[in-house]
Amino acid sequence: MKIIRGITNLKNQFSQCVLTLGNFDGVHLGHQQLINHIIKQGKKRNLPTVVMLFEPQPLEFFTQDRAPSRLTSFQEKVILIEKLGIDYILVIPFTKKFAHMSANHFIQDWLINKLQAKYITIGDDFQFGFERKGNINLLQQYAHNNDFIVESMPTFVWNNFRISSTAVRQALLNSDFELAHCLLGRDYTIQGRVVHGNALARQLGFPTANIHLHRKKPALQGVYFVKVKNICNNQHYHGIANIGLRPTINGKKAILEVNIFDFSEDIYGQYLDITFVQKLRDEKKFDSLTDLKQQITQDICTAKKISAQLTN
């Protein structure tokens, strides 16, 4: 799979394609259905498959800090889409100029002239272009005169449940990881590289692997029992994770901190995959570091009991 950053870098990559476009936040079962469908159409027409993404996601551009929490960072999204077998990801910077592009111009200049899309599939509720005036009906008007096929994919329904990124966010907010798994088709995980932190946790006696979230607002907040996979060596562990602002030390930016049980190796720079299993408590501000240390000790005790139940 190849990543193309911006429409200007499209030159000589391919002459025609089959295409889908959207945010694909979470790459849930509905997204997977959409992507698998264009892969099938690509094979049928012997054309490369393209997923068009927008960074930042439109609501992050328009509403800034009021945007919905993000399920997947850009890098996580790329990894999940690549696993499905897509040929190209076309990443469009969502700028003020792009936000003001009319839906008609987007279709004629980008989809028809530049991408030469011969088959386009979108979700039935997907809208695009300035003031969101573009939709499946407008695309169909162009399809009749420009030798391409357009199709909308109905919302994926599981067990009478409409699958959407919003539904996944709500499941995570409710700490319903079983429902989130059903909507995603996999456990909810956060993946990232271990970076240096402020070493406070180590001073308290609980060294943590710190991972930058690469999103303005994570979908989870609090303390959790987690499963940890070291992607570099495929080793598996259990631990606790705190995801949030760390109010006791007046943190300003959300970060993921993971304490791996009975572990002391140097893993800076390595990539971890964190699977959230059960919420232990909300994040809170403690009066002192001593109180925080006592709470972490209790959290680890609780989490180890859960770990023992899983391994027995």
Short mmCIF file of all heavy atoms in Angstrom, two decimals, residues 113-165:
data_model
loop_
_atom_site.label_atom_id
_atom_site.label_comp_id
_atom_site.label_asym_id
_atom_site.label_seq_id
_atom_site.Cartn_x
_atom_site.Cartn_y
_atom_site.Cartn_z
N ASN A 113 -11.51 14.57 -13.15
CA ASN A 113 -10.32 14.97 -13.91
C ASN A 113 -9.02 14.41 -13.34
O ASN A 113 -8.19 13.88 -14.07
CB ASN A 113 -10.23 16.49 -13.99
CG ASN A 113 -11.39 17.11 -14.75
OD1 ASN A 113 -12.13 16.41 -15.45
ND2 ASN A 113 -11.58 18.41 -14.60
N LYS A 114 -8.82 14.56 -12.05
CA LYS A 114 -7.54 14.17 -11.46
C LYS A 114 -7.48 12.68 -11.10
O LYS A 114 -6.52 11.99 -11.43
CB LYS A 114 -7.25 15.03 -10.23
CG LYS A 114 -6.93 16.50 -10.56
CD LYS A 114 -6.54 17.27 -9.31
CE LYS A 114 -5.99 18.66 -9.65
NZ LYS A 114 -7.04 19.56 -10.16
N LEU A 115 -8.49 12.18 -10.41
CA LEU A 115 -8.47 10.78 -9.99
C LEU A 115 -8.96 9.82 -11.07
O LEU A 115 -8.60 8.65 -11.07
CB LEU A 115 -9.34 10.60 -8.73
CG LEU A 115 -8.69 10.99 -7.42
CD1 LEU A 115 -9.73 11.25 -6.34
CD2 LEU A 115 -7.73 9.91 -6.95
N GLN A 116 -9.77 10.34 -11.97
CA GLN A 116 -10.37 9.51 -13.03
C GLN A 116 -11.02 8.26 -12.43
O GLN A 116 -10.78 7.13 -12.86
CB GLN A 116 -9.33 9.13 -14.08
CG GLN A 116 -8.74 10.32 -14.83
CD GLN A 116 -7.81 9.89 -15.94
OE1 GLN A 116 -8.19 9.10 -16.81
NE2 GLN A 116 -6.58 10.39 -15.91
N ALA A 117 -11.81 8.51 -11.40
CA ALA A 117 -12.49 7.41 -10.72
C ALA A 117 -13.54 6.79 -11.64
O ALA A 117 -14.36 7.49 -12.22
CB ALA A 117 -13.14 7.91 -9.44
N LYS A 118 -13.50 5.47 -11.77
CA LYS A 118 -14.46 4.76 -12.60
C LYS A 118 -15.55 4.10 -11.76
O LYS A 118 -16.58 3.69 -12.29
CB LYS A 118 -13.74 3.69 -13.43
CG LYS A 118 -12.82 4.29 -14.49
CD LYS A 118 -13.61 5.15 -15.47
CE LYS A 118 -12.74 5.88 -16.45
NZ LYS A 118 -13.54 6.75 -17.36
N TYR A 119 -15.32 4.03 -10.49
CA TYR A 119 -16.32 3.45 -9.57
C TYR A 119 -16.12 4.12 -8.21
O TYR A 119 -15.01 4.14 -7.67
CB TYR A 119 -16.12 1.93 -9.45
CG TYR A 119 -17.19 1.25 -8.65
CD1 TYR A 119 -18.30 0.67 -9.26
CD2 TYR A 119 -17.10 1.18 -7.26
CE1 TYR A 119 -19.28 0.05 -8.51
CE2 TYR A 119 -18.07 0.57 -6.50
CZ TYR A 119 -19.16 0.00 -7.13
OH TYR A 119 -20.14 -0.61 -6.39
N ILE A 120 -17.19 4.67 -7.66
CA ILE A 120 -17.13 5.38 -6.38
C ILE A 120 -18.20 4.82 -5.46
O ILE A 120 -19.37 4.71 -5.85
CB ILE A 120 -17.36 6.90 -6.56
CG1 ILE A 120 -16.30 7.50 -7.49
CG2 ILE A 120 -17.33 7.61 -5.20
CD1 ILE A 120 -16.57 8.95 -7.86
N THR A 121 -17.80 4.47 -4.26
CA THR A 121 -18.75 4.03 -3.23
C THR A 121 -18.59 4.92 -2.01
O THR A 121 -17.47 5.16 -1.55
CB THR A 121 -18.49 2.57 -2.82
OG1 THR A 121 -18.59 1.72 -3.96
CG2 THR A 121 -19.51 2.12 -1.80
N ILE A 122 -19.71 5.40 -1.47
CA ILE A 122 -19.69 6.19 -0.23
C ILE A 122 -20.79 5.68 0.70
O ILE A 122 -21.71 4.98 0.27
CB ILE A 122 -19.90 7.70 -0.49
CG1 ILE A 122 -21.25 7.95 -1.17
CG2 ILE A 122 -18.76 8.27 -1.30
CD1 ILE A 122 -21.60 9.43 -1.29
N GLY A 123 -20.67 6.02 1.97
CA GLY A 123 -21.73 5.71 2.91
C GLY A 123 -22.99 6.50 2.57
O GLY A 123 -22.91 7.61 2.02
N ASP A 124 -24.15 5.95 2.88
CA ASP A 124 -25.40 6.59 2.46
C ASP A 124 -25.66 7.94 3.11
O ASP A 124 -26.48 8.72 2.64
CB ASP A 124 -26.60 5.65 2.69
CG ASP A 124 -26.72 5.18 4.14
OD1 ASP A 124 -25.95 5.67 5.00
OD2 ASP A 124 -27.57 4.32 4.41
N ASP A 125 -24.92 8.24 4.20
CA ASP A 125 -25.12 9.52 4.87
C ASP A 125 -23.93 10.48 4.67
O ASP A 125 -23.87 11.52 5.30
CB ASP A 125 -25.36 9.31 6.37
CG ASP A 125 -24.20 8.57 7.04
OD1 ASP A 125 -23.31 8.07 6.32
OD2 ASP A 125 -24.19 8.49 8.29
N PHE A 126 -23.01 10.13 3.78
CA PHE A 126 -21.81 10.95 3.59
C PHE A 126 -22.13 12.20 2.78
O PHE A 126 -22.77 12.13 1.73
CB PHE A 126 -20.71 10.14 2.89
CG PHE A 126 -19.42 10.90 2.75
CD1 PHE A 126 -18.64 11.18 3.86
CD2 PHE A 126 -18.98 11.35 1.52
CE1 PHE A 126 -17.45 11.89 3.75
CE2 PHE A 126 -17.79 12.05 1.38
CZ PHE A 126 -17.03 12.31 2.51
N GLN A 127 -21.68 13.36 3.29
CA GLN A 127 -21.86 14.63 2.60
C GLN A 127 -20.51 15.32 2.47
O GLN A 127 -19.61 15.11 3.29
CB GLN A 127 -22.84 15.52 3.37
CG GLN A 127 -24.25 14.96 3.43
CD GLN A 127 -25.17 15.79 4.31
OE1 GLN A 127 -24.98 15.86 5.52
NE2 GLN A 127 -26.15 16.43 3.71
N PHE A 128 -20.35 16.15 1.44
CA PHE A 128 -19.05 16.75 1.19
C PHE A 128 -19.24 18.09 0.47
O PHE A 128 -20.34 18.43 0.01
CB PHE A 128 -18.19 15.81 0.33
CG PHE A 128 -18.82 15.43 -0.98
CD1 PHE A 128 -18.58 16.17 -2.13
CD2 PHE A 128 -19.67 14.33 -1.07
CE1 PHE A 128 -19.18 15.84 -3.34
CE2 PHE A 128 -20.27 13.99 -2.29
CZ PHE A 128 -20.03 14.74 -3.41
N GLY A 129 -18.12 18.83 0.36
CA GLY A 129 -18.16 20.12 -0.33
C GLY A 129 -18.63 21.24 0.58
O GLY A 129 -19.09 21.03 1.70
N PHE A 130 -18.48 22.47 0.09
CA PHE A 130 -18.86 23.65 0.86
C PHE A 130 -20.32 23.57 1.30
O PHE A 130 -21.21 23.26 0.51
CB PHE A 130 -18.64 24.90 0.01
CG PHE A 130 -18.92 26.19 0.73
CD1 PHE A 130 -18.24 26.51 1.90
CD2 PHE A 130 -19.87 27.08 0.24
CE1 PHE A 130 -18.50 27.70 2.58
CE2 PHE A 130 -20.13 28.28 0.91
CZ PHE A 130 -19.44 28.58 2.07
N GLU A 131 -20.54 23.81 2.58
CA GLU A 131 -21.86 23.73 3.20
C GLU A 131 -22.49 22.34 3.07
O GLU A 131 -23.69 22.18 3.11
CB GLU A 131 -22.80 24.81 2.64
CG GLU A 131 -22.33 26.22 2.96
CD GLU A 131 -23.27 27.29 2.44
OE1 GLU A 131 -24.04 27.00 1.49
OE2 GLU A 131 -23.23 28.42 2.97
N ARG A 132 -21.64 21.33 2.86
CA ARG A 132 -22.05 19.92 2.79
C ARG A 132 -23.16 19.70 1.76
O ARG A 132 -24.10 18.92 1.97
CB ARG A 132 -22.50 19.43 4.17
CG ARG A 132 -21.45 19.63 5.26
CD ARG A 132 -21.93 19.08 6.58
NE ARG A 132 -21.91 17.62 6.57
CZ ARG A 132 -22.63 16.87 7.40
NH1 ARG A 132 -23.43 17.43 8.29
NH2 ARG A 132 -22.54 15.56 7.35
N LYS A 133 -23.02 20.34 0.61
CA LYS A 133 -24.05 20.23 -0.42
C LYS A 133 -23.86 19.03 -1.33
O LYS A 133 -24.72 18.72 -2.17
CB LYS A 133 -24.09 21.53 -1.25
CG LYS A 133 -24.64 22.72 -0.47
CD LYS A 133 -24.76 23.95 -1.34
CE LYS A 133 -25.39 25.11 -0.55
NZ LYS A 133 -25.51 26.33 -1.37
N GLY A 134 -22.73 18.36 -1.20
CA GLY A 134 -22.49 17.17 -2.00
C GLY A 134 -22.99 15.92 -1.31
O GLY A 134 -22.83 15.75 -0.10
N ASN A 135 -23.63 15.04 -2.08
CA ASN A 135 -24.12 13.77 -1.54
C ASN A 135 -24.25 12.76 -2.67
O ASN A 135 -23.83 13.02 -3.80
CB ASN A 135 -25.47 13.97 -0.82
CG ASN A 135 -26.50 14.65 -1.70
OD1 ASN A 135 -26.48 14.52 -2.94
ND2 ASN A 135 -27.41 15.39 -1.09
N ILE A 136 -24.84 11.63 -2.38
CA ILE A 136 -24.96 10.56 -3.37
C ILE A 136 -25.78 11.02 -4.58
O ILE A 136 -25.48 10.66 -5.72
CB ILE A 136 -25.57 9.29 -2.74
CG1 ILE A 136 -25.59 8.13 -3.73
CG2 ILE A 136 -26.95 9.56 -2.17
CD1 ILE A 136 -24.24 7.65 -4.16
N ASN A 137 -26.80 11.85 -4.36
CA ASN A 137 -27.64 12.31 -5.47
C ASN A 137 -26.86 13.17 -6.45
O ASN A 137 -27.00 13.04 -7.68
CB ASN A 137 -28.85 13.08 -4.93
CG ASN A 137 -29.77 12.21 -4.12
OD1 ASN A 137 -29.93 11.02 -4.42
ND2 ASN A 137 -30.38 12.76 -3.08
N LEU A 138 -26.02 14.07 -5.93
CA LEU A 138 -25.21 14.92 -6.81
C LEU A 138 -24.20 14.08 -7.58
O LEU A 138 -23.98 14.30 -8.79
CB LEU A 138 -24.50 16.00 -5.99
CG LEU A 138 -23.71 17.03 -6.79
CD1 LEU A 138 -24.63 17.82 -7.73
CD2 LEU A 138 -22.97 18.00 -5.85
N LEU A 139 -23.58 13.12 -6.92
CA LEU A 139 -22.64 12.24 -7.60
C LEU A 139 -23.31 11.48 -8.74
O LEU A 139 -22.74 11.31 -9.82
CB LEU A 139 -22.03 11.25 -6.61
CG LEU A 139 -20.83 11.74 -5.79
CD1 LEU A 139 -20.52 10.76 -4.67
CD2 LEU A 139 -19.61 11.93 -6.68
N GLN A 140 -24.53 11.03 -8.51
CA GLN A 140 -25.26 10.28 -9.54
C GLN A 140 -25.57 11.14 -10.75
O GLN A 140 -25.58 10.66 -11.89
CB GLN A 140 -26.54 9.69 -8.94
CG GLN A 140 -26.26 8.50 -8.03
CD GLN A 140 -27.49 8.04 -7.27
OE1 GLN A 140 -28.45 8.78 -7.08
NE2 GLN A 140 -27.47 6.80 -6.81
N GLN A 141 -25.80 12.42 -10.54
CA GLN A 141 -26.03 13.33 -11.67
C GLN A 141 -24.80 13.40 -12.57
O GLN A 141 -24.91 13.40 -13.79
CB GLN A 141 -26.38 14.73 -11.16
CG GLN A 141 -27.73 14.83 -10.47
CD GLN A 141 -27.97 16.21 -9.86
OE1 GLN A 141 -27.48 17.21 -10.37
NE2 GLN A 141 -28.73 16.25 -8.77
N TYR A 142 -23.62 13.44 -11.96
CA TYR A 142 -22.38 13.49 -12.74
C TYR A 142 -22.07 12.13 -13.37
O TYR A 142 -21.50 12.06 -14.46
CB TYR A 142 -21.22 13.91 -11.85
CG TYR A 142 -21.08 15.40 -11.68
CD1 TYR A 142 -21.80 16.08 -10.71
CD2 TYR A 142 -20.23 16.13 -12.50
CE1 TYR A 142 -21.68 17.45 -10.54
CE2 TYR A 142 -20.10 17.51 -12.34
CZ TYR A 142 -20.83 18.16 -11.37
OH TYR A 142 -20.71 19.53 -11.22
N ALA A 143 -22.43 11.06 -12.70
CA ALA A 143 -22.10 9.72 -13.19
C ALA A 143 -22.72 9.44 -14.55
O ALA A 143 -22.10 8.80 -15.41
CB ALA A 143 -22.56 8.67 -12.17
N HIS A 144 -23.93 9.94 -14.77
CA HIS A 144 -24.63 9.66 -16.04
C HIS A 144 -23.88 10.24 -17.24
O HIS A 144 -23.95 9.70 -18.34
CB HIS A 144 -26.05 10.25 -15.99
CG HIS A 144 -26.93 9.56 -14.99
ND1 HIS A 144 -27.08 8.19 -14.94
CD2 HIS A 144 -27.72 10.05 -13.99
CE1 HIS A 144 -27.92 7.87 -13.97
NE2 HIS A 144 -28.32 8.97 -13.37
N ASN A 145 -23.16 11.32 -17.05
CA ASN A 145 -22.51 12.00 -18.16
C ASN A 145 -21.00 11.80 -18.22
O ASN A 145 -20.36 12.27 -19.17
CB ASN A 145 -22.79 13.52 -18.08
CG ASN A 145 -24.28 13.82 -18.13
OD1 ASN A 145 -25.03 13.21 -18.90
ND2 ASN A 145 -24.72 14.74 -17.30
N ASN A 146 -20.42 11.13 -17.24
CA ASN A 146 -18.96 11.07 -17.17
C ASN A 146 -18.40 9.65 -17.08
O ASN A 146 -17.26 9.46 -16.66
CB ASN A 146 -18.48 11.90 -15.98
CG ASN A 146 -18.67 13.39 -16.20
OD1 ASN A 146 -17.85 14.04 -16.84
ND2 ASN A 146 -19.78 13.92 -15.69
N ASP A 147 -19.17 8.68 -17.45
CA ASP A 147 -18.66 7.31 -17.58
C ASP A 147 -18.05 6.77 -16.29
O ASP A 147 -16.96 6.21 -16.28
CB ASP A 147 -17.63 7.24 -18.72
CG ASP A 147 -17.24 5.80 -19.07
OD1 ASP A 147 -18.10 4.92 -18.91
OD2 ASP A 147 -16.08 5.58 -19.47
N PHE A 148 -18.73 6.98 -15.17
CA PHE A 148 -18.33 6.28 -13.95
C PHE A 148 -19.57 5.84 -13.20
O PHE A 148 -20.69 6.34 -13.44
CB PHE A 148 -17.41 7.13 -13.06
CG PHE A 148 -18.06 8.31 -12.38
CD1 PHE A 148 -18.71 8.17 -11.16
CD2 PHE A 148 -18.00 9.58 -12.95
CE1 PHE A 148 -19.28 9.26 -10.52
CE2 PHE A 148 -18.56 10.68 -12.32
CZ PHE A 148 -19.21 10.51 -11.11
N ILE A 149 -19.40 4.87 -12.34
CA ILE A 149 -20.50 4.30 -11.56
C ILE A 149 -20.37 4.78 -10.13
O ILE A 149 -19.27 4.83 -9.57
CB ILE A 149 -20.47 2.77 -11.60
CG1 ILE A 149 -20.68 2.26 -13.03
CG2 ILE A 149 -21.52 2.18 -10.65
CD1 ILE A 149 -20.46 0.77 -13.19
N VAL A 150 -21.48 5.18 -9.53
CA VAL A 150 -21.47 5.57 -8.13
C VAL A 150 -22.51 4.75 -7.37
O VAL A 150 -23.58 4.44 -7.90
CB VAL A 150 -21.76 7.09 -7.98
CG1 VAL A 150 -23.13 7.46 -8.49
CG2 VAL A 150 -21.61 7.52 -6.52
N GLU A 151 -22.16 4.38 -6.17
CA GLU A 151 -23.04 3.54 -5.36
C GLU A 151 -22.93 3.96 -3.90
O GLU A 151 -21.86 4.32 -3.42
CB GLU A 151 -22.60 2.07 -5.50
CG GLU A 151 -23.49 1.08 -4.78
CD GLU A 151 -23.02 -0.35 -4.98
OE1 GLU A 151 -21.93 -0.56 -5.54
OE2 GLU A 151 -23.75 -1.26 -4.56
N SER A 152 -24.05 3.97 -3.22
CA SER A 152 -24.03 4.25 -1.79
C SER A 152 -24.18 2.94 -1.02
O SER A 152 -24.91 2.04 -1.45
CB SER A 152 -25.15 5.21 -1.39
OG SER A 152 -26.41 4.59 -1.54
N MET A 153 -23.47 2.85 0.08
CA MET A 153 -23.52 1.65 0.91
C MET A 153 -24.41 1.92 2.11
O MET A 153 -24.17 2.87 2.86
CB MET A 153 -22.11 1.29 1.37
CG MET A 153 -22.00 -0.03 2.11
SD MET A 153 -22.22 -1.46 1.04
CE MET A 153 -20.70 -1.39 0.07
N PRO A 154 -25.45 1.13 2.31
CA PRO A 154 -26.32 1.36 3.47
C PRO A 154 -25.58 1.13 4.77
O PRO A 154 -24.57 0.42 4.83
CB PRO A 154 -27.43 0.31 3.28
CG PRO A 154 -26.83 -0.75 2.42
CD PRO A 154 -25.88 -0.04 1.51
N THR A 155 -26.05 1.76 5.82
CA THR A 155 -25.43 1.63 7.14
C THR A 155 -25.37 0.17 7.57
O THR A 155 -26.35 -0.56 7.44
CB THR A 155 -26.22 2.44 8.18
OG1 THR A 155 -26.22 3.81 7.78
CG2 THR A 155 -25.59 2.32 9.55
N PHE A 156 -24.24 -0.24 8.05
CA PHE A 156 -24.06 -1.61 8.52
C PHE A 156 -24.81 -1.78 9.84
O PHE A 156 -24.66 -0.97 10.76
CB PHE A 156 -22.57 -1.90 8.71
CG PHE A 156 -22.24 -3.35 8.91
CD1 PHE A 156 -21.92 -4.17 7.84
CD2 PHE A 156 -22.25 -3.91 10.18
CE1 PHE A 156 -21.60 -5.51 8.03
CE2 PHE A 156 -21.94 -5.24 10.38
CZ PHE A 156 -21.61 -6.05 9.31
N VAL A 157 -25.61 -2.81 9.93
CA VAL A 157 -26.41 -3.07 11.14
C VAL A 157 -25.99 -4.40 11.74
O VAL A 157 -25.91 -5.42 11.05
CB VAL A 157 -27.92 -3.08 10.81
CG1 VAL A 157 -28.73 -3.45 12.06
CG2 VAL A 157 -28.36 -1.73 10.26
N TRP A 158 -25.69 -4.37 13.01
CA TRP A 158 -25.35 -5.59 13.76
C TRP A 158 -26.35 -5.73 14.90
O TRP A 158 -26.51 -4.84 15.72
CB TRP A 158 -23.92 -5.49 14.33
CG TRP A 158 -23.63 -6.53 15.35
CD1 TRP A 158 -23.25 -7.82 15.14
CD2 TRP A 158 -23.73 -6.38 16.79
NE1 TRP A 158 -23.10 -8.48 16.34
CE2 TRP A 158 -23.38 -7.63 17.36
CE3 TRP A 158 -24.06 -5.31 17.61
CZ2 TRP A 158 -23.38 -7.82 18.73
CZ3 TRP A 158 -24.06 -5.51 18.98
CH2 TRP A 158 -23.72 -6.75 19.54
N ASN A 159 -27.06 -6.87 14.90
CA ASN A 159 -27.99 -7.16 16.00
C ASN A 159 -28.97 -6.00 16.24
O ASN A 159 -29.20 -5.59 17.37
CB ASN A 159 -27.19 -7.46 17.28
CG ASN A 159 -27.98 -8.26 18.29
OD1 ASN A 159 -28.92 -8.95 17.93
ND2 ASN A 159 -27.60 -8.17 19.56
N ASN A 160 -29.51 -5.46 15.12
CA ASN A 160 -30.43 -4.31 15.13
C ASN A 160 -29.77 -3.03 15.65
O ASN A 160 -30.45 -2.10 16.07
CB ASN A 160 -31.67 -4.61 15.98
CG ASN A 160 -32.52 -5.72 15.39
OD1 ASN A 160 -32.68 -5.79 14.17
ND2 ASN A 160 -33.04 -6.60 16.23
N PHE A 161 -28.45 -2.99 15.61
CA PHE A 161 -27.69 -1.85 16.12
C PHE A 161 -26.98 -1.18 14.95
O PHE A 161 -26.21 -1.82 14.24
CB PHE A 161 -26.67 -2.33 17.16
CG PHE A 161 -26.21 -1.27 18.11
CD1 PHE A 161 -26.74 -1.17 19.38
CD2 PHE A 161 -25.24 -0.35 17.73
CE1 PHE A 161 -26.31 -0.19 20.27
CE2 PHE A 161 -24.79 0.62 18.60
CZ PHE A 161 -25.35 0.71 19.88
N ARG A 162 -27.25 0.11 14.76
CA ARG A 162 -26.62 0.84 13.67
C ARG A 162 -25.18 1.15 14.03
O ARG A 162 -24.90 1.83 15.01
CB ARG A 162 -27.38 2.16 13.41
CG ARG A 162 -26.82 2.98 12.26
CD ARG A 162 -27.60 4.27 12.11
NE ARG A 162 -27.11 5.06 10.98
CZ ARG A 162 -26.08 5.89 11.04
NH1 ARG A 162 -25.42 6.03 12.18
NH2 ARG A 162 -25.69 6.56 9.97
N ILE A 163 -24.26 0.63 13.22
CA ILE A 163 -22.84 0.80 13.52
C ILE A 163 -22.34 2.13 12.97
O ILE A 163 -22.52 2.45 11.80
CB ILE A 163 -22.01 -0.36 12.93
CG1 ILE A 163 -22.38 -1.67 13.64
CG2 ILE A 163 -20.51 -0.09 13.07
CD1 ILE A 163 -21.63 -2.88 13.16
N SER A 164 -21.71 2.91 13.84
CA SER A 164 -21.15 4.20 13.45
C SER A 164 -20.01 4.53 14.41
O SER A 164 -19.88 3.93 15.48
CB SER A 164 -22.21 5.30 13.52
OG SER A 164 -22.62 5.51 14.87
N SER A 165 -19.20 5.51 14.03
CA SER A 165 -18.13 5.96 14.93
C SER A 165 -18.72 6.53 16.20
O SER A 165 -18.17 6.34 17.30
CB SER A 165 -17.26 7.01 14.23
OG SER A 165 -16.64 6.47 13.07
#
